[in-house]
């Protein structure tokens, strides 16, 4: 019986901790571990004196035959372990649920706040101050309200502190991502506590509690204790994520930043005056994230495992590619589309300059953007991290858009004559993006690669771009046909006695399916050529980039198996079932 409390851990706390660790292991980064360790240390040293006070004053008691014996300031070793294991469980669940969330988009300041957010924050402050006053009153009065009062005067000041600095940020976060890691561990620990109280593993002295029970042996005070401790853990995680979001979002305020910033730097970021935030940048990130959600769920899933500033810059780059593509695709005439390409070219000319002209000033570039483009595109063009990107892939991307304009059923000279033309197109619209992503990786990774490895990785990125674009073409034959576009090589069509107009009229005919599978074969050959080279990527980004690739190539596997599900946003487009997408990401991360 001396191990009764230890058995509670073996049966009820260690198993869920182990399960969450197993699920999260491929996703966990050094930063996740760092944040969790910070919270464990804070929870341990904040709870130890309070718990010791309760034991010394007889509020909590432990039967001698329920604990092993070792104590620290009167607190049994098993109770000390509870501080650690509860913090760990709740932190892991929070991290799991918040992996997809780009926290930088939820930063805010007074200029950006809604009246509702102001009222909620004020109400929270009043409520917490009221709880502190009530707790002090109960402790001063003594008797049956003592334990509840001690809980309130211990927990609420910590909650008020985090709410004061991170309340607005917390209010903007998705509710489910905050409520779930509070509610689920709380209810689970209520059940564990009810079992422990019923077995007599620990006890609350009758003269210090109200005697109200939620069910069975679960005292009201114990229920409140587990609720507020899990709330404190989540509030602590939110405060850390807010600090990290500030570090990642504003390189002008924090120019030199490592993957695991020092506690002092993290505190500085948390305490940074929100009036210093560049809200135009924040709003631009919000718009970019929304584009990402709507346009590419595969990339959105993969982006969740990229570190800090790299993730932000990748999102901004992808947003630029989508905005540029949409400007051209949504044009009513070919002339209008060509005008957009010319204006995007002029934009790049201003940004990068030329052999005989220096890059233009930021003021000139911004002025051109606002004069030449729709206002919903301004932030995307202004925030593109051009200082970190070579110019050639961006110009090549625009050449790819030009090729798009000629791929329709009214053009007597169908441009893609053979596989060489197909590869050129894929290089311009996809390999360019892969190469640009890679240059961002080279810049942001702490581990720098020798030039020969960088060159090999650039070539592999270009080859993988071919593979991904071939999958994209194979998936979108029907949709492209509706737009009057056919991207399959002309010589392939001729072998099957087809013309582009035949595919546009009937994209579901067996011959088209045969060509789709042929294109997928080419896609997977290119994939195999470049996949092994990805092992040379820095550890910091290898797994996330592999997830991005594998998530997209899974579309090709689904098309081969013909097991895709219809897209909810694009009729005629097959997509990977959600659970399968998560399985592919998790499996790919485990493999690394």
């Amino acid at each position: 019986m001396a191990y009764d409390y230890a058995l509670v851990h073996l049966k009820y706390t260690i198993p869920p901790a182990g399960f969450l660790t197993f699920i999260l292991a491929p996703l966990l980064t050094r930063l996740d571990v760092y944040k969790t360790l910070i919270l464990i240390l804070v929870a341990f040293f904040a709870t130890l004196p309070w718990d010791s006070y309760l034991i010394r004053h007889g509020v909590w008691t432990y039967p001698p035959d329920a604990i092993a014996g070792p104590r620290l300031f009167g607190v049994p070793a098993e109770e000390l372990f509870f501080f650690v294991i509860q913090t760990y469980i709740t932190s892991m669940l929070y991290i799991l649920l918040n992996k997809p969330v780009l926290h930088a988009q939820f930063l805010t300041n007074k200029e950006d706040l809604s009246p509702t957010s102001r009222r909620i924050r004020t109400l929270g402050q009043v409520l917490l101050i009221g709880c502190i006053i009530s707790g002090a009153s109960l402790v001063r009065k003594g008797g049956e309200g003592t334990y509840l009062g001690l809980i309130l005067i211990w927990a609420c000041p910590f909650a008020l502190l985090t709410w004061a600095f991170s309340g607005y940020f917390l209010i903007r976060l998705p509710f489910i991502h905050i409520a779930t890691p509070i509610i689920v561990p709380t209810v689970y620990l209520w059940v564990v506590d009810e079992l422990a109280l019923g077995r007599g593993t620990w006890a609350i002295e009758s003269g210090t509690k109200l005697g109200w029970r939620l069910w069975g042996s679960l005292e009201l005070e114990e229920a409140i204790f587990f609720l507020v401790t899990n709330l404190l853990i989540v509030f602590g995680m939110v405060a850390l994520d807010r600090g990290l979001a500030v570090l990642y979002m504003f390189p002008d305020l924090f120019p030199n930043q490592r993957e695991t910033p020092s506690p002092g730097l993290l505190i500085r970021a948390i305490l940074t005056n929100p009036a210093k935030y560049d809200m135009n940048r924040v709003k631009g990130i919000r718009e970019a994230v929304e584009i990402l959600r709507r346009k590419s769920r595969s990339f959105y899933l993969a982006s969740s495992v990229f570190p800090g500033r790299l993730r932000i810059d990748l999102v901004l780059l992808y947003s630029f590619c989508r905005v540029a593509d949409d400007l051209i695709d949504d044009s009513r005439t070919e002339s209008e589309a060509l005008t957009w390409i010319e204006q995007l070219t002029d934009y790049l000319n201003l940004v990068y300059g030329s052999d005989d002209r220096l890059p233009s000033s930021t003021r000139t570039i911004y002025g051109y953007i606002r004069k030449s483009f729709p206002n919903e595109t301004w932030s995307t063009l202004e925030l593109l991290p051009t200082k970190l990107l070579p110019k050639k892939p961006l110009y090549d991307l625009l050449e790819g858009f030009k090729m798009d304009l000629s791929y329709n059923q009214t053009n007597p000279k169908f441009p893609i004559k053979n596989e060489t033309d197909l590869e050129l197109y894929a290089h311009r619209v996809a390999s360019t993006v892969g190469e640009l992503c890679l240059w961002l990786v080279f810049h942001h990774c702490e581990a720098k690669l020798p030039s020969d490895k960088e060159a090999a990785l650039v070539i592999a990125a270009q080859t993988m771009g071919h593979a991904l674009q071939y999958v994209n073409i194979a998936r979108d034959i029907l949709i492209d046909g509706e737009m009057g576009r056919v991207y399959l090589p002309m010589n392939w069509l001729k072998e099957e006695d087809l013309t582009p107009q035949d595919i546009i009229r009937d994209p579901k005919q067996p011959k088209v399916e045969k060509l789709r599978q042929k294109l997928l074969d080419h896609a997977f050959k290119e994939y195999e050529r470049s996949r092994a080279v990805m092992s040379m990527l820095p550890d910091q980004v290898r797994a996330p980039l592999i997830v991005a690739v594998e998530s997209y190539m899974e579309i090709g596997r689904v098309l081969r198996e013909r097991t895709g599900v219809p897209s909810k946003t694009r009729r005629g487009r097959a997509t990977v079932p959600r659970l399968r997408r998560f399985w592919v990401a998790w499996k790919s991360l485990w493999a690394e």
Side-chain angles (χ1 to χ4, degrees):
M1 284 293 291
Y3 298 101
D4 200 40
Y5 197 168
L7 289 174
V8 170
H9 288 306
L10 287 173
K11 289 182 179 179
Y12 303 115
T13 63
I14 293 175
F19 175 74
L20 285 169
T21 302
F22 176 75
I23 295 296
L24 257 175
L27 300 167
L28 278 177
T29 63
R30 284 184 295 173
L31 185 61
D32 294 326
V33 175
Y34 181 64
K35 291 191 300 181
T36 305
L37 285 174
I38 289 175
L39 275 189
I40 287 173
L41 289 172
V42 171
F44 187 91
F45 289 107
T47 310
L48 178 60
W50 179 79
D51 205 320
S52 177
Y53 177 89
L54 265 62
I55 292 171
R56 285 186 288 107
H57 288 78
V59 178
W60 275 354
T61 58
Y62 301 90
D65 59 355
I67 57 176
R71 292 174 180 258
L72 179 64
F73 299 112
V75 181
E78 296 90 341
E79 181 76 0
L80 298 172
F81 183 72
F82 212 114
F83 303 165
V84 174
I85 200 72
Q86 181 188 351
T87 306
Y88 182 82
I89 290 171
T90 304
S91 297
M92 289 296 106
L93 185 57
Y94 172 91
I95 290 169
L96 177 64
L97 293 172
N98 282 271
K99 271 292 174 185
V101 178
L102 183 56
H103 288 97
Q105 66 181 302
F106 299 107
L107 291 170
T108 188
N109 61 17
K110 289 184 178 180
E111 296 177 3
D112 182 56
L113 289 172
S114 67
T116 301
S117 295
R118 295 174 189 271
R119 286 194 293 268
I120 292 173
R121 183 172 180 270
T122 301
L123 180 62
Q125 289 176 318
V126 171
L127 179 62
L128 289 168
I129 292 170
C131 287
I132 294 170
I133 295 171
S134 299
S137 176
L138 288 170
V139 172
R140 186 168 54 251
K141 183 179 179 182
E144 294 180 345
T146 301
Y147 183 24
L148 178 59
L150 287 168
I151 292 172
L152 295 177
I153 62 170
W154 166 72
C156 291
F158 289 111
L160 182 60
L161 181 66
T162 53
W163 185 257
F165 286 107
S166 302
Y168 288 133
F169 177 73
L170 192 151
I171 291 166
R172 291 188 63 93
L173 291 172
F175 178 77
I176 192 72
H177 293 267
I178 300 302
T180 303
I182 295 173
I183 295 170
V184 171
T186 297
V187 173
Y188 180 75
L189 291 173
W190 283 354
V191 175
V192 173
D193 191 76
E194 198 277 334
L195 294 171
L197 288 170
R199 288 171 56 87
T201 305
W202 59 75
I204 307 168
E205 291 303 307
S206 58
T208 63
K209 62 183 180 180
L210 297 172
W212 301 346
R213 292 182 172 86
L214 291 191
W215 75 77
S217 303
L218 180 63
E219 305 280 356
L220 173 66
E221 292 87 347
E222 286 288 88
I224 292 175
F225 171 78
F226 286 117
L227 175 62
V228 298
T229 49
N230 283 313
L231 183 142
L232 287 175
I233 295 166
V234 171
F235 275 27
M237 272 290 182
V238 169
L240 291 175
D241 279 339
R242 175 175 168 269
L244 290 167
V246 172
L247 286 174
Y248 296 150
M249 191 63 179
F250 306 119
D252 291 343
L253 296 177
F254 299 93
N256 299 313
Q257 191 271 120
R258 298 177 63 85
E259 182 185 2
T260 51
S262 68
L265 185 60
L266 201 51
I267 291 171
R268 273 184 55 207
I270 293 172
L271 298 180
T272 296
N273 186 349
K276 296 181 178 180
Y277 294 174
D278 180 355
M279 289 310 299
N280 288 329
R281 183 170 170 82
V282 174
K283 291 173 183 176
I285 285 291
R286 292 174 190 167
E287 294 171 7
V289 168
E290 185 56 33
I291 290 170
L292 196 61
R293 282 201 191 102
R294 288 187 286 108
K295 298 290 185 176
S296 177
R297 289 184 296 174
S298 296
F299 190 88
Y300 182 66
L301 172 63
S303 75
S304 65
V305 286
F306 284 106
R309 286 183 180 170
L310 173 58
R311 183 183 184 187
I312 289 174
D313 280 345
L314 287 171
V315 168
L316 292 173
L317 171 60
Y318 185 85
S319 176
F320 168 80
C321 296
R322 292 309 317 175
V323 162
D325 190 46
D326 288 346
L327 282 173
I328 295 152
D329 279 351
D330 295 343
S331 298
R332 288 165 293 185
T333 64
E334 183 175 335
S335 175
E336 182 184 350
L338 285 170
T339 299
W340 287 126
I341 292 174
E342 289 173 6
Q343 290 180 186
L344 287 166
T345 301
D346 291 341
Y347 158 74
L348 293 178
N349 291 338
L350 290 173
V351 169
Y352 288 103
S354 61
D355 293 338
D356 56 356
R357 189 182 66 187
L358 293 172
S360 299
S361 66
T362 300
R363 182 176 180 179
T364 300
I365 295 168
Y366 284 12
Y368 179 76
I369 289 169
R370 292 170 184 259
K371 179 183 71 175
S372 306
F373 295 96
N375 57 6
E376 64 269 17
T377 68
W378 291 353
S379 63
T380 294
L381 295 168
E382 290 171 358
L383 295 178
L384 180 67
T386 51
K387 292 181 180 179
L388 310 181
L389 300 170
K391 63 181 181 180
K392 186 177 185 306
L394 289 167
Y395 282 104
D396 285 347
L397 179 64
L398 297 184
E399 291 301 314
F401 294 152
K402 287 181 183 178
M403 291 179 73
D404 275 331
L405 296 181
S406 58
Y407 297 162
N408 60 70
Q409 76 271 37
T410 61
N411 194 318
K413 296 181 179 179
F414 188 69
I416 297 186
K417 300 179 179 64
N418 49 44
E419 292 172 19
T420 301
D421 293 333
L422 177 66
E423 183 176 309
L424 175 63
Y425 174 71
H427 179 86
R428 287 177 170 175
V429 299
S431 298
T432 51
V433 179
E435 182 180 349
L436 290 166
C437 289
L438 206 53
W439 285 110
L440 292 177
V441 166
F442 295 155
H443 173 79
H444 285 290
C445 280
E446 295 175 5
K448 301 304 178 184
L449 297 175
S451 57
D452 59 330
K453 284 192 174 182
E454 286 189 353
L457 283 166
V458 168
I459 293 171
Q462 293 171 348
T463 305
M464 189 65 79
H466 302 160
L468 300 181
Q469 185 60 28
Y470 295 167
V471 168
N472 187 64
I473 293 171
R475 180 190 62 183
D476 290 347
I477 289 174
L478 188 151
I479 292 174
D480 292 333
E482 291 175 348
M483 298 170 63
R485 298 178 178 182
V486 178
Y487 292 90
L488 296 166
M490 194 66 177
N491 61 335
W492 289 11
L493 273 61
K494 190 174 181 180
E495 291 170 5
E496 299 296 329
D497 293 324
L498 292 172
T499 65
Q501 288 72 26
D502 293 331
I503 294 179
I504 292 168
R505 280 195 300 269
D506 185 9
K508 296 183 179 180
Q509 59 182 292
K511 288 183 178 181
V512 174
E513 184 58 37
K514 181 180 177 181
L515 293 176
R516 187 201 310 274
Q517 296 302 321
K518 183 175 181 177
L519 182 57
L520 289 171
D521 289 341
H522 278 68
F524 280 94
K525 284 179 183 177
E526 295 289 84
Y527 163 81
E528 294 295 340
R529 284 178 56 201
S530 54
R531 178 64 174 81
V533 183
M534 296 184 75
S535 63
M536 295 193 311
L537 286 163
D539 293 343
Q540 194 178 359
V541 297
R542 182 169 58 248
L545 283 170
I546 287 173
V547 168
V549 167
E550 294 296 340
S551 296
Y552 211 88
M553 290 306 296
E554 197 66 16
I555 298 171
R557 297 184 184 100
V558 161
L559 291 170
R560 276 182 160 180
E561 301 162 8
R562 303 177 192 178
T563 56
V565 296
S567 170
K568 294 181 179 179
T569 57
R570 296 292 298 272
R571 185 181 64 83
R573 171 179 285 181
T575 187
V576 182
R578 179 174 296 180
L579 287 177
R580 182 164 170 172
R581 289 201 305 272
F582 282 111
W583 165 247
V584 168
W586 188 82
K587 181 177 65 174
S588 300
L589 288 166
W590 254 116
E592 295 303 313

